[in-house]
Amino acid sequence: DVVARYKMARGFNVLHPMGWDAFGMPAENAAMERGIHPSEWTYSYVAVMKAQLEPMGLSLDWSREFATCDPDYMAQQQALFLDFMEQDLVYRRSAMVNWDPVDMTVLANEQVIDGKGWRSGAQVERRELAQWFFRITDFAEDLLDSIDGLESWPDKVRLMQRNWIGKSRGIEIPFALEDAPEGFDAILCYSTRPDTLNGASFIAIAPDHPLSKALEGGSADLAAFNAECRKMDTTEEAFEKAEKKGFDTGLRVRHPIHPDRALPVWVGNFVLMDYGSGAVFGCPAHDQRDLDFARKYELPAPNAFFLPGDETPVGDEALVPPKTDTVIYSDHFAGIGEATSQDGIDRTIDWMEAKGLGQGQVKYRLRDWGASRQRYWGCPIPVVHCEACGIVPEKKENLPIALPMDVDFSKPGNPLDRHPTWRDCVCPACGGPAKRETDTMDTFVDSSWYFARFTAPKAETPTDPEAAAYWMNVDQYIGGVEHAILHLLYSRFFARAMAKCGHLTKANHEPFQALFTQGMVCHETYRDAAGRWLTPEEVERSSDGATALADGAAVEIGPSIKMSKSKKNVVAPEDIVARYGADTARWFVMSDSPPERDVEWTAAGAEAAHRFLQRVWRLMAEAELAPAGGSAPTDISQTAMDLRRATHRAIRDVTADIEGFAFNKAIARLYELAGALGKTGTEAGLGFARREALETLARLASPFVPHFAEELWSALQGEGLLTGAPWPQADATLLQEATIVLPVQVNGKRRAEIKVAADADAASVEAAALADEGVRKHLGEAGPRKVIVVPGRIVNVVV
RNA sequence: GCGGGCGUGGUGGAACUGGUAGACACGCGAGAUUUAGGUUCUCGUGCCGCAAGGCGUGGGGGUUCGAGUCCCUCCGCCCGCACCA
């Protein structure tokens, strides 16, 4: 908001959508307080905001922009989904999902909100279900390459996206099986380190690998082992500690380069079926995980390469030097001797491909986006299931497929599934009876394209190309780091997918020009002796501790963490606004910490912000001011001149600070300006300078405290609304000083300050420095050996 | 484990590309106003020291006339990813 208001003052057209998080929380709280049924929340967002805004004489036109709660947005999102189906950007397949029996209904349940069991893993089951997926992996390469162009994004986020996409170049190598069951003549292993193939000593396949499954029939032990492994992957902690376990199938494969070597085939609990081919060759000498496994099951660990000048065989630590380091390959089949690992990898892949021993492959960690949710809360997927025609897209004229209002939340699972009539519909293809899809879309879908929709929120199609071309792309996107990967990657995918459907253009492939990740508002946490969380209002906080207001008992103060309902460390925005006013809250949140960092909400800090705004108001009310619209008097006092200089310095510095997102520093400059103004006391003849300072203060503070600044402006009889006034310009002549103060160091320690003309040459500065009493005291008898003069900065005398 | 970041007063934090460390605010102390408390105003406040002075940006070392900033090393904290072959 600060950036948007600043940009408007600089004369830009600003389309400034509000995120729903900020409004969502109060709306959600209000809905709960009023006992609104969760099924109505989607609609109650709008209702609550209407109730809040209409008394202020504001219309709620922009309510249409709220994603799931807006039938129009829902219709267009469903239309978009249908277009994606047509372009083969979405598909349905069977997949294992975490099936969460806890639906939105539980949010209304006190216990769950208390943080005892909300989403605790225990309630989540793994089920195999038919799911809808977006083909985001089709864009993996482009999504990765384009990250280089996102120059105004934080490096951190760019790196996280790169890692998430996780590109790797490797090769698929078939290992010929001996005495294998029907249909299996080779195991295909994926490797990014084929240069270490000489060090291969075993093959490990995933428990879910087809071969492993096929062998289960003949071995009860293997079946039991596999069943054990499948159970494991549910809880994360178990995953972390899980030991590398294996099961020897008794099968053997031939080493592709050295057919005389037979390698044992193991099933390993650490091999993932959904990465690569679900099978790896184990190279213990150059992979720690393989080495642990080999030591446990007494498998050999031959080196494929050594460090130069050190041929010690591998011990308990795998030899994995950086890929840019030079190593000495030992007896490498492609004749590679001394080379970097990276070079060795590339040459090995080329050599093996040429010999027909494997197929070079580029793989990504990125998976297709599973967008199905078995929840009520969300935009229904607009397809129907027809016995005769199968899966049929709904007709666009029937959109939106809205959610029913009468739903039963008393049982776990998706309430749409058991709705008595909602599923019944007519097949758009054959006209026969059909059933609606009950999966709803991941809410990330809603946020993946709202910025495009907002450019024309009433268009009959998902976007109005003309409006999109005018407004897009987003110049400055601001959000929390928690969106660094999912939301921002999905949106980048959506922009490409929408371009493919003609809703955007190629110029919109990167929808967010610049990204800023802001911190969160945090607060201390409080717990009583019984371990119950207490809200800040229930606690009396003093400098040396805290007690409960209810009974005066001591309260344990916990760390300051992100405000959350479950920890009760929440100060509701309405309460802040009621107590201090919205501008005080805005001012405080901006003033204390740099915006990319978390800010600690403290009552004392808010009070201080409040006091400052009051002080500015008093300064205005009590000051003797020149009439509005006057021009600067030519002959003014030193005090007036100093104030004018301070004013124009503030313009320069605050402007630079806002441009650089250093809002806390901008606010510090405004404190300084107010301080300079206050210092002038009741001295007469400062009317113009005071008016200038106050008008400037109002203008510079307006992005932070828009209402307060507007009041100040009006009290100063400023012309029109402050919102329409241009951003002030610093007067260059007032930024220049005739004389400056320079620090003088002797041997690097500051010993004195000298006053010199701003444009004094080095020789005269040196002379002035050496003449200074404080400096001479430290010179000693030998006198200076060397004098360093950094113009405008510092003088250093070396003795 | 891999990748990234950070470490400055009692606290939140300033310090532009190596150039006066601690802006601004909170807190604390003293004083003024007030019947009192609060508000408001003034002054002080990195640490040690009566002072002169000395010491100070997680520890140690280095480069430099000069280091919070650059390099090496150790320690601590935070974030992201994680049996990724």
Side-chain angles (χ1 to χ4, degrees):
Chain A
D1 195 44
V2 171
V3 175
R5 286 174 190 279
Y6 169 73
K7 287 286 179 192
M8 283 163 77
R10 301 302 304 241
F12 291 90
N13 279 342
V14 173
L15 178 65
H16 173 214
M18 281 172 247
W20 45 71
D21 283 3
F23 279 87
M25 195 175 70
E28 204 177 295
N29 286 341
M32 275 170 57
E33 271 167 28
R34 291 169 199 196
I36 297 175
H37 190 266
S39 64
E40 293 167 34
W41 282 10
T42 36
Y43 302 97
S44 71
Y45 276 109
V46 176
V48 170
M49 274 179 301
K50 265 203 167 102
Q52 287 173 344
L53 292 174
E54 275 171 0
M56 294 151 74
L58 297 171
S59 72
L60 195 67
D61 207 25
W62 43 268
S63 72
R64 295 167 63 87
E65 280 112 336
F66 276 81
T68 27
C69 58
D70 174 14
D72 185 44
Y73 190 88
M74 196 181 256
Q76 294 306 328
Q77 185 161 304
Q78 288 169 340
L80 205 49
F81 191 92
L82 298 177
D83 289 345
F84 280 19
M85 280 178 81
E86 214 175 296
Q87 293 289 328
D88 193 31
L89 290 159
V90 60
Y91 65 97
R92 191 169 185 255
R93 71 166 161 86
S94 174
M96 293 296 287
V97 296
N98 288 328
W99 189 80
D100 187 348
V102 181
D103 204 291
M104 292 311 287
T105 177
V106 299
L107 277 179
N109 173 332
E110 261 300 313
Q111 273 189 331
V112 174
I113 293 172
D114 256 6
K116 293 175 193 135
W118 168 239
R119 300 270 174 106
S120 76
Q123 298 184 18
V124 177
E125 295 169 42
R126 280 180 70 78
R127 288 193 180 184
E128 186 153 357
L129 294 172
Q131 298 279 288
W132 290 92
F133 287 87
F134 287 115
R135 288 194 196 278
I136 189 170
T137 54
D138 281 6
F139 298 83
E141 187 66 39
D142 183 28
L143 287 168
L144 181 68
D145 286 346
S146 307
I147 290 173
D148 292 336
L150 299 173
E151 280 160 20
S152 300
W153 282 39
D155 290 342
K156 184 187 173 169
V157 173
R158 298 202 293 171
L159 188 69
M160 280 164 73
Q161 292 224 346
R162 270 192 205 103
N163 292 342
W164 189 261
I165 295 169
K167 181 180 179 174
S168 65
R169 183 186 182 217
I171 185 167
E172 269 182 351
I173 307 166
F175 285 74
L177 267 163
E178 296 174 354
D179 309 320
E182 192 61 39
F184 297 93
D185 33 82
I187 298 175
L188 205 54
C189 294
Y190 177 69
S191 174
T192 55
R193 293 303 300 266
D195 61 316
T196 66
L197 191 53
N198 265 350
S201 71
F202 64 94
I203 300 290
I205 62 176
D208 286 322
H209 192 279
L211 176 60
S212 172
K213 282 182 172 166
L215 293 170
E216 278 181 21
S219 163
D221 288 347
L222 178 60
F225 177 83
N226 286 348
E228 176 92 354
C229 294
R230 279 176 206 126
K231 234 185 337 184
M232 265 198 10
D233 54 347
T234 40
T235 64
E236 264 175 56
E237 309 93 270
F239 215 66
E240 219 161 278
K241 289 182 219 135
E243 210 182 324
K244 317 263 170 292
K245 278 192 195 150
F247 186 95
D248 188 355
T249 62
L251 295 176
R252 294 286 179 274
V253 295
R254 292 269 139 225
H255 193 289
I257 309 289
H258 306 286
D260 51 313
R261 292 188 204 162
L263 307 178
V265 178
W266 289 67
V267 176
N269 66 347
F270 57 88
V271 185
L272 304 173
M273 193 54 222
D274 59 358
Y275 190 82
S277 52
V280 295
F281 71 77
C283 178
H286 305 298
D287 183 294
Q288 192 57 45
R289 186 199 52 205
D290 292 350
L291 185 61
D292 294 345
F293 191 80
R295 293 291 181 240
K296 180 165 179 185
Y297 294 107
E298 296 177 348
L299 296 159
N303 274 69
F305 57 76
F306 294 97
L307 294 178
D310 178 13
E311 300 226 340
T312 350
V314 81
D316 284 329
E317 234 175 84
L319 178 60
V320 195
K323 285 185 184 167
T324 47
D325 283 9
T326 298
V327 298
I328 314 288
Y329 285 97
S330 121
D331 197 19
H332 192 279
F333 40 88
I336 304 169
E338 187 177 320
T340 64
S341 298
Q342 189 53 62
D343 204 22
I345 293 166
D346 291 339
R347 286 164 67 184
T348 305
I349 292 175
D350 293 345
W351 186 87
M352 291 189 77
E353 271 195 314
K355 296 264 179 196
L357 290 168
Q359 182 66 50
Q361 290 263 321
V362 171
K363 291 226 182 279
Y364 301 92
R365 208 192 73 105
L366 184 68
R367 307 274 81 136
D368 272 336
W369 171 10
S372 280
R373 293 294 179 276
Q374 293 72 51
R375 302 181 148 259
Y376 170 77
W377 176 273
C379 176
I381 290 174
V383 301
V384 307
H385 298 266
C386 170
E387 266 186 47
C389 315
I391 291 173
V392 186
E394 184 54 88
K395 290 179 182 163
K396 281 191 180 168
E397 59 261 37
N398 292 341
L399 302 181
I401 306 304
L403 291 165
M405 293 295 280
D406 53 331
V407 273
D408 170 19
F409 282 104
S410 63
K411 281 174 266 175
N414 185 352
L416 296 178
D417 270 339
R418 49 172 186 268
H419 192 278
T421 55
W422 185 78
R423 298 193 63 189
D424 301 327
C425 62
V426 172
C427 171
C430 70
K435 292 279 186 192
R436 290 207 180 287
E437 169 69 62
T438 58
D439 280 359
T440 52
M441 293 181 214
D442 182 357
T443 49
F444 271 117
V445 177
D446 308 336
S447 54
S448 292
W449 70 290
Y450 73 99
F451 46 87
R453 177 69 185 167
F454 282 11
T455 61
K458 292 166 195 176
E460 304 280 314
T461 47
T463 64
D464 169 352
E466 210 176 294
Y470 176 78
W471 288 107
M472 290 284 280
N473 295 322
V474 175
D475 294 295
Q476 182 64 59
Y477 201 41
I478 300 176
V481 245
E482 72 271 21
H483 292 132
I485 297 171
L486 295 181
H487 166 57
L488 290 167
L489 194 61
Y490 291 156
S491 297
R492 296 178 63 217
F493 157 69
F494 247 69
R496 286 163 171 78
M498 286 175 75
K500 201 172 170 189
C501 302
H503 298 305
L504 291 174
T505 70
K506 218 173 162 186
N508 309 125
H509 274 192
E510 287 307 335
F512 307 130
Q513 211 98 66
L515 173 70
F516 185 85
T517 51
Q518 105 270 46
M520 295 184 234
V521 181
C522 297
H523 197 283
E524 285 181 340
T525 44
Y526 307 108
R527 295 185 100 155
D528 66 13
R532 278 185 302 260
W533 300 104
L534 297 175
T535 65
E537 293 94 76
E538 294 170 321
V539 170
E540 164 93 55
R541 183 77 169 85
S542 70
S543 53
D544 44 39
T547 51
L549 278 180
D551 54 8
V555 169
E556 191 198 333
I557 300 168
S560 180
I561 51 173
K562 178 189 173 185
M563 286 192 181
S564 94
K565 278 180 283 187
S566 66
K567 304 283 194 298
K568 290 204 174 176
N569 60 337
V570 185
V571 181
E574 306 98 304
D575 294 349
I576 296 168
V577 170
R579 189 151 179 181
Y580 305 107
D583 279 349
T584 294
R586 295 168 60 105
W587 184 264
F588 170 60
V589 165
M590 301 263 96
S591 70
D592 231 29
S593 298
E596 66 272 19
R597 225 176 289 184
D598 288 348
V599 61
E600 155 104 21
W601 180 272
T602 61
E607 298 279 1
H610 191 62
R611 277 204 307 270
F612 174 74
L613 297 179
Q614 303 283 16
R615 179 156 176 254
V616 172
W617 188 260
R618 248 193 341 269
L619 283 171
M620 180 275 297
E622 290 165 5
E624 192 196 311
L625 300 175
S631 55
T634 46
D635 183 25
I636 58 174
S637 70
Q638 188 58 44
T639 321
M641 197 59 190
D642 288 347
L643 181 55
R644 291 206 66 202
R645 284 188 197 283
T647 300
H648 285 262
R649 269 202 310 275
I651 294 172
R652 180 192 60 192
D653 294 343
V654 169
T655 305
D657 287 337
I658 292 178
E659 294 272 358
F661 279 75
F663 305 133
N664 57 327
K665 281 158 67 185
I667 285 178
R669 306 281 95 90
L670 294 173
Y671 272 106
E672 277 175 355
L673 179 55
L677 183 60
K679 277 245 157 46
T680 62
T682 52
E683 192 177 322
L686 293 168
F688 178 82
R690 284 208 184 98
R691 165 167 291 281
E692 184 184 43
L694 279 163
E695 284 180 352
T696 302
L697 191 55
R699 198 67 201 93
L700 295 178
S702 66
F704 304 94
V705 281
H707 317 96
F708 174 81
E710 203 70 65
E711 283 294 326
L712 197 60
W713 186 254
S714 142
L716 289 165
Q717 289 119 44
E719 208 175 305
L721 281 178
L722 182 55
T723 309
W727 193 252
Q729 295 282 322
D731 181 341
T733 60
L734 287 168
L735 295 175
Q736 277 165 10
E737 305 274 351
T739 58
I740 52 171
V741 176
L742 282 187
V744 184
Q745 296 180 329
V746 178
N747 286 343
K749 287 198 186 297
R750 193 179 71 93
R751 296 298 184 188
E753 280 180 349
I754 53 171
K755 258 193 183 162
V756 294
D759 54 359
D761 58 32
S764 59
V765 171
E766 181 175 333
L770 293 175
D772 186 89
E773 192 54 39
V775 175
R776 288 169 70 173
K777 224 165 64 184
H778 290 91
L779 281 184
E781 280 150 33
R785 277 199 294 141
K786 193 175 170 188
V787 179
I788 292 147
V789 178
V790 184
R793 286 245 107 118
I794 202 166
V795 181
N796 193 7
V797 182
V798 188
V799 292

